Amino acid sequence: MVFGLFLGGPQLAQEWESGTYRTVCTQSVTRLRWFAAKLLLPVTLTVLISGTIAAATTWWWRPAGSLLGGWFPWWQWYPYDGVGPVVVGLSVLSLLIGVTAGLILRRTVLAMGATVVLSAAAMYLLEQVRAHLLPTTLATVQHTTDSAAPSNAWVLAEGAVDAAGRKVSDPPGCYAVDDYTKCLVRHGRTGRWAEFHPSSHLWPLQWAETGLCLLAAGALAGVCVVWIRRRTV
């Protein structure tokens, strides 16, 4: 969000607010060439800085995560949003959100405020669709009350199964008795099922989300190009 706030938001908004863009429009440089030049430096800085940060935090997290075990589940906002290529994807997306807001709103402070709100909304939406970026794994175990998912898996849903392996609801009355396992068996609940992402999905999910961020950033760049070409001085 910092990249969008301080690099993206003011990038074009200052040009419109101060009126310096009119000077550019009177020169031989085309609007699209001017826009590309204005965008090249912040995008390059964003990729280099966020990539360096992502590489450093990933290098730190690999041994630290294995030592901490399940203390910091890999699918939560940290470490997920702080390591790997998704750091670069989110940074570039936030930058383009700021550039687009500045181009449309034409006020620096207003564009910076809109960048914060829209970047937060984009991160929230990405978090909601994250679980659906890759196919999940469905596992079933019998004769146990333990979870069917392996340790450190991102469990999306789970429940009980009968002897035939069909999904059935949990009997609420069994939670109040001493012998929980025997109560489940009496009600025909002989095992558990779970739908989950294993820990091996961390990096594939990251690359899928990074690609989604870059596609959205490219779409915003396209919006900027259309806006600049059709907007009159």
Side-chain angles (χ1 to χ4, degrees):
M1 194 178 295
V2 171
F3 292 103
L5 183 63
F6 295 106
L7 280 179
Q11 190 68 21
L12 298 182
Q14 289 180 347
E15 295 277 354
W16 258 262
E17 201 168 22
S18 62
T20 53
Y21 73 95
R22 293 190 179 92
T23 303
V24 175
C25 293
T26 60
Q27 306 301 316
S28 59
V29 178
T30 64
R31 294 185 184 185
L32 294 184
R33 184 176 176 183
W34 168 77
F35 172 68
K38 294 288 292 184
L39 199 60
L40 179 61
L41 180 59
V43 168
T44 303
L45 287 175
T46 299
V47 171
L48 289 177
I49 296 173
S50 64
T52 302
I53 294 173
T57 54
T58 304
W59 171 81
W60 174 84
W61 177 254
R62 286 184 183 276
S66 60
L67 289 174
L68 294 172
W71 281 48
F72 293 94
W74 60 268
W75 63 89
Q76 292 187 354
W77 74 271
Y78 193 83
Y80 188 92
D81 287 328
V83 300
V86 76
V87 178
V88 179
L90 288 171
S91 300
V92 173
L93 176 58
S94 182
L95 175 74
L96 264 297
I97 289 175
V99 170
T100 307
L103 181 64
I104 294 175
L105 298 176
R106 300 190 172 201
R107 293 292 182 271
T108 303
V109 176
L110 190 59
M112 293 173 73
T115 300
V116 172
V117 174
L118 294 175
S119 295
M123 292 177 188
Y124 174 78
L125 291 175
L126 286 168
E127 186 176 351
Q128 300 308 304
V129 303
R130 182 175 298 160
H132 308 287
L133 294 177
L134 286 180
T136 56
T137 300
L138 181 63
T140 303
V141 292
Q142 289 285 2
H143 311 299
T144 181
T145 57
D146 296 334
S147 176
S151 60
N152 205 23
W154 181 11
V155 180
L156 304 177
E158 61 180 340
V161 295
D162 59 17
R166 294 186 296 265
K167 296 179 182 179
V168 290
S169 60
D170 281 314
C174 288
Y175 294 107
V177 299
D178 294 334
D179 200 330
Y180 176 69
T181 303
K182 288 184 178 180
C183 181
L184 290 178
V185 173
R186 286 198 303 269
H187 286 80
R189 276 66 172 175
T190 59
R192 304 288 296 175
W193 67 270
E195 183 183 1
F196 59 91
H197 284 293
S199 56
S200 60
H201 280 192
L202 169 59
W203 302 119
L205 281 171
Q206 283 242 342
W207 283 109
E209 187 169 336
T210 301
L212 190 60
C213 289
L214 296 180
L215 282 175
L220 289 174
V223 169
C224 292
V225 168
V226 173
W227 186 274
I228 289 173
R229 292 183 65 179
R230 295 185 177 181
R231 192 74 176 183
T232 58
V233 179

